[in-house]
Amino acid sequence: PAFERHPELWFSDGSVVLKAQGIHFRVHKTQMARRSLFFRDLFSLPQPLESEDKLIEGCPVVELYDDPTDLANLLVAIYDGL
Protein backbone atom coordinates (compact mmCIF):
# COMPACT_ATOMS: atom_id res chain seq x y z
CA PRO A 1 0.00 0.00 0.00
CA ALA A 2 1.07 3.54 -0.73
CA PHE A 3 1.96 5.93 2.06
CA GLU A 4 3.35 9.44 2.25
CA ARG A 5 7.04 9.72 3.12
CA HIS A 6 8.53 12.89 4.49
CA PRO A 7 10.72 14.20 1.65
CA GLU A 8 13.83 14.83 3.79
CA LEU A 9 13.42 12.66 6.88
CA TRP A 10 13.23 9.24 5.25
CA PHE A 11 16.55 7.44 5.67
CA SER A 12 16.90 4.23 3.66
CA ASP A 13 18.94 2.67 6.47
CA GLY A 14 16.53 3.78 9.22
CA SER A 15 15.31 1.20 11.71
CA VAL A 16 11.89 2.57 12.70
CA VAL A 17 9.09 4.46 10.97
CA LEU A 18 7.37 7.23 12.89
CA LYS A 19 3.90 8.09 11.59
CA ALA A 20 2.29 11.45 12.37
CA GLN A 21 -1.07 12.28 10.79
CA GLY A 22 -0.35 10.21 7.69
CA ILE A 23 3.23 11.43 7.17
CA HIS A 24 5.92 8.78 7.61
CA PHE A 25 9.47 9.39 8.84
CA ARG A 26 12.05 6.59 8.63
CA VAL A 27 14.68 7.26 11.26
CA HIS A 28 17.24 5.47 13.43
CA LYS A 29 16.18 4.11 16.82
CA THR A 30 19.67 4.52 18.22
CA GLN A 31 19.92 8.17 17.20
CA MET A 32 16.46 8.93 18.61
CA ALA A 33 17.19 7.17 21.91
CA ARG A 34 20.61 8.79 22.21
CA ARG A 35 19.27 12.33 21.89
CA SER A 36 15.78 12.08 23.44
CA LEU A 37 14.66 10.70 26.80
CA PHE A 38 11.15 10.31 25.39
CA PHE A 39 12.33 8.05 22.58
CA ARG A 40 14.77 6.22 24.87
CA ASP A 41 11.89 5.34 27.18
CA LEU A 42 9.55 4.53 24.29
CA PHE A 43 12.00 2.13 22.66
CA SER A 44 12.87 0.47 25.98
CA LEU A 45 9.27 -0.64 26.55
CA PRO A 46 8.38 -4.20 25.57
CA GLN A 47 6.81 -4.14 22.13
CA PRO A 48 4.15 -6.48 20.82
CA LEU A 49 5.27 -9.01 18.25
CA GLU A 50 5.38 -7.35 14.87
CA SER A 51 3.00 -8.60 12.24
CA GLU A 52 3.76 -8.04 8.56
CA ASP A 53 0.91 -5.51 8.26
CA LYS A 54 2.55 -3.32 10.92
CA LEU A 55 5.90 -3.12 9.15
CA ILE A 56 7.02 -0.76 6.41
CA GLU A 57 10.05 -1.95 4.47
CA GLY A 58 10.85 -4.25 7.39
CA CYS A 59 10.70 -1.48 10.02
CA PRO A 60 8.18 -1.29 12.86
CA VAL A 61 5.76 1.63 12.69
CA VAL A 62 5.18 3.85 15.73
CA GLU A 63 2.11 6.04 15.44
CA LEU A 64 2.44 9.41 17.11
CA TYR A 65 -0.34 11.94 17.57
CA ASP A 66 1.82 14.99 17.02
CA ASP A 67 1.61 17.49 14.20
CA PRO A 68 3.95 16.29 11.43
CA THR A 69 5.57 19.74 11.18
CA ASP A 70 6.36 19.67 14.90
CA LEU A 71 7.77 16.14 14.59
CA ALA A 72 9.88 17.17 11.58
CA ASN A 73 11.29 20.11 13.56
CA LEU A 74 12.14 17.80 16.47
CA LEU A 75 13.83 15.29 14.17
CA VAL A 76 15.88 18.00 12.48
CA ALA A 77 17.01 19.19 15.91
CA ILE A 78 17.92 15.62 16.90
CA TYR A 79 19.85 14.90 13.71
CA ASP A 80 21.41 18.30 13.08
CA GLY A 81 21.80 19.47 16.68
CA LEU A 82 19.97 22.73 16.12
Side-chain angles (χ1 to χ4, degrees):
F3 56 92
E4 187 174 353
R5 296 176 182 181
H6 189 277
E8 297 170 8
L9 296 165
W10 183 271
F11 301 102
S12 61
D13 63 341
S15 56
V16 66
V17 174
L18 305 178
K19 178 182 174 186
Q21 298 179 14
I23 308 297
H24 295 74
F25 304 80
R26 186 171 177 179
V27 295
H28 305 89
K29 278 185 180 182
T30 53
Q31 182 72 357
M32 300 293 98
R34 184 173 163 262
R35 301 286 307 270
S36 165
L37 291 175
F38 169 79
F39 285 112
R40 183 180 310 148
D41 291 345
L42 176 69
F43 297 142
S44 72
L45 295 173
Q47 301 298 311
L49 295 175
E50 299 297 337
S51 63
E52 286 300 315
D53 62 334
K54 294 185 180 183
L55 297 176
I56 293 180
E57 297 181 4
C59 296
V61 178
V62 176
E63 187 159 1
L64 302 173
Y65 298 95
D66 298 279
D67 181 274
T69 301
D70 292 341
L71 180 57
N73 289 335
L74 173 65
L75 295 175
V76 166
I78 286 173
Y79 275 94
D80 296 340
L82 302 175

